[in-house]
Amino acid sequence: MSSKKKESLVIALLLLVFSVILFFSATRIPVSGALGAGADFLPKVGSVLLFCCACSFLVQFVRTPKEEGEAAAKAPDRTPAVRFFLALGLLALYVAGLQKIGFILMTIFYVFCQSLLMVPKEKRSCLVSAVLAVVVALLVNGIFAFVLKLRLPAGLLSGLL
């Protein structure tokens, strides 16, 4: 088994384990019926989606050919593993800065960096990533503020919001 294939298997298994842990952690969130869906709803949905993605990675792993040639064996591609750990680092940075910097600014930063990280170099565009980041941050903030009536951390923008 090539190192690229091993990395794909490890990442898929890590995502499976993480999704199961996330789901069972979400079951411990106290549920209030004031809004219909409780505070545990979104983490449970996210964990189920992550579980589905991990399962699709496993299916892709099983369907890929066993040997990819000697060129792949001589020079293993570390890009998927590097991207995975960079994405985890970005997520940790996002969570760490959420209270002090604020939801909108951190979400713009996170979505911008994540989109640049995940899109192939030949299709990468800073302008598209920036527009996507701003639209996603404002849309999610609007949903939480106006539909769910929940306040997200304002951080540095506390005087403006």
Side-chain angles (χ1 to χ4, degrees):
M1 186 182 314
S2 69
S3 63
K4 183 176 182 179
K5 197 159 174 157
K6 286 178 188 175
E7 288 174 359
S8 297
L9 178 63
V10 168
I11 289 171
L13 292 175
L14 283 174
L15 286 176
L16 273 174
V17 169
F18 182 71
S19 67
V20 170
I21 291 170
L22 179 64
F23 184 82
F24 286 112
S25 297
T27 60
R28 290 195 258 167
I29 296 174
V31 179
S32 67
L35 297 173
D40 64 335
F41 176 72
L42 200 55
K44 285 180 181 176
V45 169
S47 65
V48 169
L49 290 174
L50 184 61
F51 185 83
C52 292
C53 289
C55 288
S56 70
F57 286 151
L58 283 176
V59 168
Q60 184 181 10
F61 169 78
V62 171
R63 288 186 171 187
T64 55
K66 293 194 181 221
E67 291 302 322
E68 298 160 348
E70 291 191 23
K74 289 181 183 176
D77 183 19
R78 300 277 184 221
T79 306
V82 170
R83 283 187 179 180
F84 175 75
F85 288 112
L86 282 174
L88 280 180
L90 275 173
L91 186 59
L93 187 64
Y94 175 73
V95 171
L98 204 54
Q99 287 296 323
K100 290 186 180 187
I101 297 173
F103 176 80
I104 293 176
L105 294 177
M106 282 307 295
T107 302
I108 290 171
F109 169 76
Y110 177 75
V111 172
F112 178 76
C113 292
Q114 195 72 336
S115 66
L116 289 178
L117 181 65
M118 293 300 162
V119 173
K121 284 186 180 181
E122 58 273 1
K123 294 183 179 182
R124 216 173 273 168
S125 169
C126 287
L127 180 63
V128 171
S129 294
V131 170
L132 175 72
V134 170
V135 168
V136 166
L138 293 177
L139 182 68
V140 171
N141 189 55
I143 290 170
F144 273 90
F146 300 113
V147 177
L148 300 174
K149 306 284 190 229
L150 295 172
R151 300 190 82 217
L152 295 172
L156 299 175
L157 298 177
S158 61
L160 300 172
L161 299 177

